[in-house]
Amino acid sequence: MEHTPLVRRARVGDLPRLVELVHEHVAYEKAAPRQPGLAERLGPQLFAEDARLWVLLAETPDGTVAGYAACSAEFSFWDARHYVHMDCLYLAEEARGHGLGAALMDGVTGLARELGLDQVQWQTPDWNEGAIRFYDRLGAVGRPKQRYSLAVEPSRDQDGTPPGPGSASR
């Protein structure tokens, strides 16, 4: 009997496994390790009443959470409309090739429909040929761009300490 992949929204109890998968994903992409406390920072963003971050989880037939897609609603200035930005899609190595990636993408497009949005955008490293082939098979269109990141130092009060909660930035 063929197993239909299960994709569901993350729950609070999933945070420890989700953080494990994030750390695997970070290592896979050869990125710098994340700071401790990821679950404590993600939880409020995912489970607040007004959350604008959604994580979909893919489960193997035995119920193991084996992958995730993290999404948020973003605004396209050029198009003057919102879209779903898929920040991450990751499957544990042993879970690849079993339909879980396609199921996650179906979940992401379903989320977009649920939110009344008609587009999903994402990026993948140019060296990740497997992901590129996967996205091409889905009919997605790649657009070459260079992604930049700029660290911003926190503002400081006159005495050199960071401003407290609720203080206005200068």
Side-chain angles (χ1 to χ4, degrees):
M1 181 169 136
E2 183 86 11
H3 172 71
T4 302
L6 174 65
V7 172
R8 62 175 176 80
R9 291 208 180 160
R11 300 183 288 258
V12 173
D14 296 315
L15 277 171
R17 177 62 180 146
L18 180 58
V19 167
E20 286 176 9
L21 289 168
V22 168
H23 289 303
E24 284 180 25
H25 191 182
V26 166
Y28 176 77
E29 290 203 7
K30 300 171 185 70
R34 303 293 96 161
Q35 294 179 356
L38 184 59
E40 292 79 11
R41 291 190 308 276
L42 279 177
Q45 301 302 315
L46 281 171
F47 305 115
E49 192 171 314
D50 61 346
R52 298 295 294 164
L53 171 66
W54 300 273
V55 171
L56 303 176
L57 301 176
E59 292 185 358
T60 62
D62 68 2
T64 301
V65 173
Y68 69 96
C71 303
S72 59
E74 299 291 340
F75 187 78
S76 169
F77 187 75
W78 285 3
D79 296 325
R81 65 182 188 185
H82 287 90
Y83 65 94
V84 168
H85 173 244
M86 183 175 67
D87 186 56
C88 298
L89 185 144
Y90 177 75
L91 286 174
E93 187 172 349
E94 65 276 4
R96 297 175 194 153
H98 302 286
L100 291 173
L104 277 171
M105 288 302 297
D106 285 347
V108 170
T109 57
L111 174 64
R113 273 192 291 286
E114 179 183 323
L115 296 171
L117 305 177
D118 63 359
Q119 189 175 70
V120 177
Q121 295 183 21
W122 67 95
Q123 56 198 10
T124 195
D126 59 2
W127 56 261
N128 194 343
E129 295 175 6
I132 292 167
R133 284 191 306 273
F134 169 69
Y135 296 136
D136 287 346
R137 281 194 309 270
L138 293 177
V141 176
R143 293 183 175 93
K145 275 194 171 186
Q146 183 69 38
R147 181 177 182 165
Y148 289 87
S149 177
L150 178 64
V152 177
E153 293 294 323
S155 61
R156 304 261 178 206
D157 285 337
Q158 289 180 345
D159 65 1
T161 61
S167 63
S169 59
R170 296 168 187 42

